[in-house]
Amino acid sequence: GLTGQKGWSRQWRDPEPKPHYDVVIVGGGLHGLATAYYLAANHGVKNIAVLEKGWLGGGNAGRNTTIVRSNYFRPGNREFYEHSLKLWENLSHELNYNVMFSQRSHISLLHSPGAIDAAARNYNILRRTGTPDAEIWDLATLKRAVPHLNYSPTSRFPIMGAAVQKRAGTARHDAVAWGYARGADKHGVDILQQCEVQGITREGDSVSAVETSRGTIRAGKVAFAVAGNTSRLWTMAGLGKLPIESHKLQAFVSEPLKPLLDQVVVFGIGGAHFYISQSDKGGMVFGGDLDWYKSYAQRGNLPIVQDTAEAAMSILPCLGRVKLLRHWSGLVDMSMDGTHFLCKTPLSNLYLNAGWNYGGFKATPASGWYFADLIANDRPHEKIRNFDLKRFERGLQIDERGAGPDPK
Ligand code: FAD
């Protein structure tokens, strides 16, 4: 359909690397690009490069299941994700790029009286602290909204109700990467693709340059936003171990169907681990658990296909004859308490953005916003004070199990 179209202009430039930048951001995923955009747009930093070893959005940015929500309830995370959701609500406007943010409701199924009580507690906290759209639905309300779930009382995990966030939903992940890239480029940020960081040059306790596949680039400040590759970069910088493990997370899309599901549905509280929504093209987009072993391989495997298909069948048996179109894997950076790091590091001009677990897509705008603020001002904003590497020493882990009260 596009073959007759000609003369498309570039969305961003393809410059040669300069020998020096004031800020070098390693990683051209969502968080690196958002950081570059807010550094330039909010803080007026001029001389910035984003270094990406492959193509923009080729990592988790283009591999996730695009769920956006703010129903985290630990202090710190709650405010962070609510700030992110508010930025999402204006993002297409801010970037002048349609990121297709669709606030279609996030429905977490509840399968026991205990789960209903726990969800009611969490969602009451959300309502009282600035997230007014958190609701608990009884079974009758849920059945009216999503009539074709498996409501059999004899099922393995009978559905008894749901915890719902109505402003939550999905967005188009590629568009988010491209929108931030175009916005950053317009502010003069150099986006350097096929530019892998292969070494870090230090002068004492600071970084002086990065060694890349396109030559040496000197830097005033260096920021890591490389998700599942964080430990590799950390080692290059000559630093010790991080409280992060890299795991594979797989996702799936079916052949396109007529409209079937208007919401994001999550089967996770006291049941299996499964989440599903329908894309604008009609494909059912879904995923499940981690692979539960550490790996840098971005490829899927059959045990997770089986596990996820079983979970799908147990709540949406109508999917039984649907064909799977594609299946892939990304590389997620799992932290020990399920919460991220946005912080300074032992090196004076090196900054860390990592530990997004299952959930860094929804965090993108706030992550970029706060990380840019940290880099520009060389001190953590009050709201991200506890997202540092020393919180474990202080006994301050922010325990969200990687995903907040809902596992996705
Ligand atoms: P990435 O896109 O991975 O960016 C990091 C970039 O760094 C990559 O492009 C990589 O090539 C580059 N890089 C690495 N090493 C180097 C180097 N040495 N030199 C230069 N560049 C380098 N989150 C949600 O909120 N909702 C979801 O529904 C959701 N679903 C998910 C489903 C799956 C299958 C996966 C894998 C993840 C999901 N996530 C979800 C998590 C989310 O995608 C990630 O947390 C988030 O994308 C991570 O940030 P990023 O986009 O910056 O990472």
Side-chain angles (χ1 to χ4, degrees):
L2 296 177
T3 47
Q5 308 231 17
K6 295 202 170 62
W8 286 37
S9 55
R10 291 193 71 93
Q11 297 280 293
W12 53 85
R13 295 164 300 123
D14 185 22
E16 285 303 312
K18 290 193 246 170
H20 173 270
Y21 290 94
D22 293 341
V23 180
V24 164
I25 297 168
V26 188
L30 298 162
H31 293 238
L33 292 166
T35 304
Y37 172 78
Y38 291 116
L39 257 179
N42 293 0
H43 302 280
V45 179
K46 295 275 177 246
N47 191 21
I48 306 170
V50 176
L51 276 43
E52 167 53 49
K53 72 174 173 183
W55 67 95
L56 288 196
N60 294 327
R63 294 165 191 261
N64 64 74
T65 45
T66 79
I67 299 171
V68 174
R69 58 183 172 84
S70 71
N71 55 356
Y72 288 65
F73 84 107
R74 301 277 174 206
N77 276 345
R78 205 162 61 216
E79 299 82 355
F80 178 87
Y81 284 100
E82 186 54 33
H83 179 53
S84 206
L85 187 55
K86 292 206 168 81
L87 291 172
W88 275 110
E89 286 173 330
N90 192 43
L91 196 58
S92 294
H93 192 68
E94 160 101 25
L95 299 175
N96 188 25
Y97 204 103
N98 186 1
V99 301
M100 296 163 76
F101 182 42
S102 159
Q103 294 180 283
R104 59 179 70 179
S105 295
H106 177 275
I107 298 180
S108 297
L109 304 178
L110 302 170
H111 307 276
S112 67
I116 295 174
D117 287 350
R121 170 178 168 260
N122 294 347
Y123 277 53
N124 281 339
I125 292 173
L126 292 174
R127 287 168 74 92
R128 291 175 61 89
T129 53
T131 304
D133 56 318
E135 298 181 1
I136 301 294
W137 285 0
D138 61 17
L139 197 52
T141 312
L142 178 63
K143 280 184 175 170
R144 274 196 302 279
V146 198
H148 41 289
L149 295 175
N150 179 3
Y151 291 108
S152 163
T154 57
S155 68
R156 171 76 178 81
F157 297 106
I159 299 170
M160 297 187 177
V164 180
Q165 185 178 22
K166 288 191 154 173
R167 286 154 65 234
T170 59
R172 177 75 211 168
H173 46 16
D174 301 322
V176 182
W178 299 336
Y180 273 121
R182 191 181 70 166
D185 176 82
K186 277 199 176 133
H187 283 283
V189 173
D190 279 1
I191 295 170
L192 306 172
Q193 297 183 75
Q194 305 298 330
C195 185
E196 179 174 4
V197 172
Q198 297 168 334
I200 306 281
T201 307
R202 276 175 57 172
E203 269 171 26
D205 282 346
S206 65
V207 176
S208 55
V210 290
E211 309 301 329
T212 82
S213 51
R214 296 176 71 177
T216 300
I217 299 176
R218 286 181 292 107
K221 295 179 177 180
V222 175
F224 289 166
V226 291
N229 284 288
T230 307
S231 306
R232 285 177 163 159
L233 269 292
W234 200 248
T235 310
M236 284 182 208
L239 296 165
K241 282 203 162 184
L242 277 174
I244 287 178
E245 287 183 354
S246 295
H247 286 257
K248 295 189 321 175
L249 180 62
Q250 305 183 37
F252 307 79
V253 66
S254 76
E255 61 185 333
L257 306 178
K258 288 185 176 171
L260 174 69
L261 193 62
D262 272 347
Q263 305 89 352
V264 177
V265 172
V266 181
F267 171 29
I269 300 180
H273 189 185
F274 176 76
Y275 33 93
I276 186 163
S277 65
Q278 187 165 20
S279 80
D280 293 340
K281 281 195 287 188
M284 304 306 296
V285 179
F286 54 96
D289 264 327
L290 293 177
D291 279 18
W292 301 122
Y293 57 87
K294 288 174 264 180
S295 172
Y296 287 116
Q298 293 186 102
R299 45 199 300 195
N301 60 25
L302 290 174
I304 293 288
V305 176
Q306 180 173 356
D307 190 55
T308 311
E310 281 171 1
M313 286 302 293
S314 70
I315 63 153
L316 272 168
C318 62
L319 293 181
R321 293 179 179 213
V322 173
K323 293 196 183 73
L324 199 59
L325 192 65
R326 278 184 295 119
H327 161 224
W328 63 90
S329 166
L331 197 52
V332 290
D333 40 338
M334 304 300 290
S335 69
M336 297 302 115
D337 60 355
T339 290
H340 48 274
F341 303 101
L342 278 174
C343 58
K344 292 173 62 114
T345 70
L347 304 186
S348 63
N349 60 345
L350 178 67
Y351 304 84
L352 180 66
N353 175 323
W356 295 101
N357 298 275
Y358 298 90
F361 180 66
K362 63 185 72 65
T364 300
S367 163
W369 198 95
Y370 284 116
F371 200 40
D373 181 82
L374 171 71
I375 297 165
N377 298 309
D378 197 35
R379 54 95 192 100
H381 188 285
E382 182 209 341
K383 290 279 187 326
I384 62 164
R385 224 177 38 242
N386 288 327
F387 299 146
D388 65 348
L389 286 166
K390 297 213 163 156
R391 64 175 179 261
F392 300 99
E393 288 170 30
R394 297 197 303 273
L396 254 180
Q397 59 264 36
I398 308 166
D399 202 352
E400 295 271 17
R401 291 171 51 235
D406 305 328
K408 190 66 198 180

